[in-house]
């Protein structure tokens, strides 16, 4: 027993608890029994099992906001603290040290270059967490491909003198029509995490839609804001709406000006790229991984924790501010937003991280234009997924989208700190401006469907360079 009556456990004993039957995890030298929590962990049981019997502090702090432990576990799931031993075994492979290589910001010319830089600079498991799509990554790749399948149709005979890329998204005017998506894990890219995204967004007057799964708390991002900067907040509708209610009230108090309710992640997708890195590291560190026992019943009864209709009514009861429903993947669901005041469809397949056969936001946008074209007039349609160029953004706007989000692009650029994120924003802005000038439009409201051809999308025609 330790001085405060807490059991002191040595690492060899903790390592014994590394299976589905008994799963312990060390966080900041405290040991938690997460066996009962495995199937309700929003990130999935496998990620916890990959760290079972070992220390998960770094990855935990990168991916979860302060207070997550207290909200998720009961005090009796804390089973002890770790005995201090002078010669604690270090991991055999320090993947971080092998990987970290600085890249000069001046060598970066495009969003694609940021991904290559992040692959060189970040620890293998952080890069894999960001990059991973679901299963065989068809949805992830199709997101990229479908932008390229759309052609832009320039009007070269129109004069253009000045190009204005400014627009409003859900009631606030920004200098550009793209924004930083809510995407957890900023602290895995940079120790200061999401606050740097907020600061870079302020510098360029673009929107940062802050993630509730972030390593920084909502106070930290709110405090990093410039006095006149507008931030929006993203939430998941949890089955315990009281918990979410506290979160919304807090976000309102801190001055967040719109909400996204993410509805496409009732459970985490099967991200094998990410899981494989975890397994490889576990093996490299000499830990045995036992085959799953057939007798263990773990697939049944995972709770579906979030319900969008109750959630949207409940959320509307708490605020009149704009709400975007994030994760819409068909025109019928998008049209349901018309049933609620100031509720807007956000077309997204979570960056291809959920269903591997899901449509891209471009597929859904084209279906909306065909089946309920009025929607783009009556509501603000937001899109994201696979955006890497200013031209992609222009294509989405021409088809009726109001705002275009980028997730990975900004996580990768965050590996180079605030200057990295700033440069990513500048590159995208420059590309939009250049594309609009060449297209013959001087403001975003001049863009319309006649500026694009979507026939390649239907045929699935693409040409893409080799990928990582
Ligand atoms: C005792 C340990 C842990 C607890 C109590 C915990 C709890 C949670 C909670 C509550 C969320 C949802 C956040 C929200 O709804 O606001 C979450 C998400 C997540 N967790 Fe954990 N977690 C733990 C350990 C881990 C570990 C070791 C990993 C390893 C990589 C991990 C990876 C993730 C991921 C990737 C998500 C996001 C899932 C998504 O929505 O895409 N967690 N966790
Ligand atoms: C590492 C990572 C974490 C993410 N976390 C969240 C999240 O917590 N909440 C959410 O609504 N979307 C989350 N997303 C999805 C993004 O908001 C966005 O839909 C997606 O990244 C867009 O695709 P892109 O990465 O190809 O730009 C995450 C995406 C990534 C890549």
């Amino acid at each position: 027993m330790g001085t405060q009556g807490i059991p002191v456990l040595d690492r060899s004993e903790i390592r014994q608890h590394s299976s589905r039957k008994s799963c312990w995890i060390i966080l900041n030298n405290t040991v938690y029994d997460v066996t009962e929590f495995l199937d309700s962990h929003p990130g999935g049981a496998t990620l916890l099992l990959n760290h079972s019997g070992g220390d998960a502090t770094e990855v935990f702090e990168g991916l979860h906001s302060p207070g997550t432990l207290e909200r998720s576990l009961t005090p009796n799931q804390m089973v002890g603290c770790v005995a201090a031993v002078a010669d604690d075994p270090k991991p055999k492979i320090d993947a971080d040290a092998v990987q970290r290589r600085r890249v000069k910001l001046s060598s970066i010319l495009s969003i694609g270059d940021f991904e290559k830089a992040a692959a060189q600079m970040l620890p293998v498991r952080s890069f894999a967490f960001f990059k991973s799509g679901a299963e065989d990554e068809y949805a992830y790749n199709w997101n990229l491909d479908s932008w390229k399948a759309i052609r832009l149709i320039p009007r070269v005979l129109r004069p253009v003198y000045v190009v204005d890329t400014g627009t409003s998204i859900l009631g606030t005017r920004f200098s550009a029509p793209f924004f930083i998506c809510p995407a957890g894990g900023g602290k895995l890219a940079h120790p200061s995490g999401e606050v740097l995204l907020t600061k870079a967004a302020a510098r360029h007057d673009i929107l940062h839609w802050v993630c509730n799964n972030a390593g920084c708390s909502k106070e930290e991002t709110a405090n990093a804001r410039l006095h006149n900067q507008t931030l929006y907040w993203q939430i998941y509708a949890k089955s315990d709406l009281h918990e979410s209610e506290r979160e919304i009230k807090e976000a309102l108090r801190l001055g967040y000006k719109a909400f996204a309710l993410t509805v496409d992640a009732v459970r985490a997708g099967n991200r094998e790229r990410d899981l494989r890195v975890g397994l490889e590291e576990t093996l490299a560190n000499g830990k045995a991984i036992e085959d799953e026992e057939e007798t263990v019943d773990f697939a049944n009864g995972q709770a579906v924790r979030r319900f969008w209709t109750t959630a949207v009514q409940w959320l509307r009861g708490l605020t009149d501010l704009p709400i975007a429903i994030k994760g819409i993947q068909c025109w019928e669901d998008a049209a349901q937003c018309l049933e609620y005041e100031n509720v807007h469809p956000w077309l997204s397949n979570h960056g291809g991280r959920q269903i591997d056969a899901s449509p891209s936001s471009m597929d859904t946008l084209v279906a909306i234009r065909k089946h309920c074209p009025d929607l783009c007039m009556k509501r603000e349609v937001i899109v994201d997924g696979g955006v890497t160029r200013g031209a992609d953004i222009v294509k989405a706007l021409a088809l009726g989208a109001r705002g275009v989000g980028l997730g990975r692009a900004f996580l990768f650029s965050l590996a180079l700190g605030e200057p990295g994120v700033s440069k990513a924003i500048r590159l995208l802005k420059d590309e939009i401006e250049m594309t609009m000038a060449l297209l013959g439009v001087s403001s975003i409201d001049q863009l319309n469907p006649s500026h694009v051809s979507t026939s390649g999308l239907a045929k699935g025609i693409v040409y893409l360079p080799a990928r990582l």
Side-chain angles (χ1 to χ4, degrees):
M1 282 290 166
T3 45
Q4 290 162 338
I6 300 169
V8 179
L9 306 160
D10 64 42
R11 286 187 192 259
S12 60
E13 183 182 355
I14 299 165
R15 270 197 294 275
Q16 305 297 314
H17 299 267
S18 57
S19 70
R20 276 204 154 261
K21 283 187 201 143
S22 180
C23 178
W24 289 7
I25 281 185
I26 306 170
L27 298 173
N28 288 315
N29 284 331
T30 307
V31 186
Y32 297 90
D33 181 347
V34 293
T35 319
E36 297 292 314
F37 179 65
L38 284 174
D39 286 335
S40 33
H41 178 230
T46 315
L47 288 177
L48 294 179
L49 285 165
N50 278 350
H51 292 272
S52 60
D55 197 319
T57 309
E58 192 187 332
V59 72
F60 180 82
E61 291 191 341
L63 288 169
H64 304 80
S65 56
T68 302
L69 264 183
E70 295 71 16
R71 284 196 301 272
S72 313
L73 303 180
T74 57
N76 58 12
Q77 283 170 290
M78 199 266 268
V79 289
C81 60
V82 187
V85 179
D87 57 349
D88 270 349
K90 291 270 176 296
K92 279 198 190 125
I93 289 187
D94 183 358
D96 301 11
V98 177
Q99 277 297 306
R100 281 176 198 278
R101 279 202 284 135
R102 289 293 310 166
V103 174
K104 276 178 150 316
L105 198 51
S106 53
S107 69
I108 289 183
L109 299 177
S110 68
I111 294 297
D113 290 345
F114 276 111
E115 177 174 342
K116 291 187 197 116
Q120 287 183 39
M121 291 173 64
L122 292 178
V124 179
R125 61 176 177 276
S126 305
F127 182 76
F129 172 69
F130 293 154
K131 167 102 178 163
S132 198
E135 298 173 354
D136 298 312
E137 300 188 333
Y138 282 111
Y140 167 84
N141 282 308
W142 178 236
N143 282 354
L144 293 161
D145 288 2
S146 43
W147 293 111
K148 308 307 165 203
I150 299 210
R151 313 301 329 153
L152 284 166
I153 316 290
R155 300 300 164 84
V156 287
L157 303 183
R158 285 187 190 152
V160 178
Y161 302 105
V162 182
V163 173
D164 177 6
T165 61
T167 192
S168 79
I169 304 173
L170 301 184
T172 304
R173 195 156 177 92
F174 297 97
S175 73
F178 64 90
F179 63 89
I180 303 176
C181 268
K187 282 197 173 172
L188 298 178
H190 191 282
S192 301
E194 289 77 10
V195 299
L196 298 189
L197 297 175
T198 303
K199 287 182 178 170
R203 183 186 294 268
H204 293 275
D205 185 24
I206 69 153
L207 169 63
H208 180 197
W209 208 313
V210 186
C211 173
N212 86 332
N213 251 352
C216 296
S217 68
K218 59 175 100 51
E219 288 81 1
E220 286 172 316
T221 34
N223 291 340
R225 193 173 42 177
L226 275 188
H227 66 283
N228 59 350
Q229 185 181 0
T230 299
L231 295 176
Y232 296 167
W233 183 253
Q234 173 263 326
I235 60 156
Y236 286 109
K238 295 179 181 153
S239 49
D240 178 3
L241 288 179
H242 291 103
E243 198 188 305
S244 302
E245 188 166 330
R246 278 193 296 278
E247 183 182 332
I248 296 291
K249 287 187 172 157
E250 192 59 7
L252 287 168
R253 189 183 63 75
L254 290 165
Y256 290 88
K257 289 281 185 271
F259 291 91
L261 180 68
T262 300
V263 292
D264 61 4
V266 290
R267 61 186 65 157
N270 176 21
R271 298 161 199 168
E272 289 176 14
R273 179 193 287 267
D274 189 18
L275 298 176
R276 216 163 267 129
V277 169
L279 287 176
E280 280 162 13
E281 284 193 2
T282 309
L283 287 171
N285 289 326
K287 195 170 127 189
I289 298 174
E290 286 170 24
D291 285 335
E292 291 282 3
E293 290 175 40
E294 295 296 333
T295 49
V296 178
D297 173 20
F298 66 89
N300 295 329
Q302 283 193 18
V304 173
R305 309 176 323 128
R306 298 144 186 164
F307 309 94
W308 98 274
T309 39
T310 13
V312 77
Q313 282 160 9
W314 151 84
L315 187 51
R316 184 42 81 231
L318 293 173
T319 175
D320 290 332
L321 289 173
I323 300 169
I325 306 298
K326 179 171 185 288
I328 300 271
Q329 291 163 68
C330 65
W331 71 266
E332 292 93 332
D333 283 357
Q336 278 196 48
C337 291
L338 292 170
E339 293 168 22
Y340 303 90
E341 269 310 301
N342 207 5
V343 168
H344 307 267
W346 181 331
L347 316 182
S348 169
N349 59 14
H350 217 101
R353 289 161 81 80
Q354 295 297 99
I355 298 181
D356 198 16
S358 54
S360 68
S361 60
M362 256 297 132
D363 290 324
T364 313
L365 186 57
V366 169
I368 288 174
R369 292 222 69 86
K370 186 168 170 202
H371 297 284
C372 54
D374 282 2
L375 186 62
C376 295
M377 249 86 85
K378 293 181 176 155
R379 293 291 184 271
E380 295 193 14
V381 177
I382 314 281
V383 302
D384 75 25
V387 176
T388 58
R389 289 284 181 186
D392 300 341
I393 295 163
V394 172
K395 290 170 185 174
L397 301 175
L399 283 167
R402 179 61 79 107
V404 180
L406 294 90
R408 292 180 183 85
F410 290 118
L411 289 170
F412 292 144
S413 63
L414 186 56
L416 287 114
E418 193 189 332
V421 184
S422 230
K423 179 152 186 184
I425 298 171
R426 193 169 47 73
L427 286 174
L428 287 166
K429 264 190 176 176
D430 288 350
E431 287 177 5
I432 293 176
E433 209 216 1
M434 185 196 62
T435 307
M436 285 171 65
L438 292 174
L439 210 51
V441 295
S442 49
S443 65
I444 281 172
D445 57 10
Q446 290 176 4
L447 286 165
N448 63 62
S450 77
H451 290 111
V452 291
S453 158
T454 58
S455 57
L457 188 68
K459 295 183 202 133
I461 297 172
V462 284
Y463 167 75
L464 275 185
R467 297 190 179 114
L468 289 176

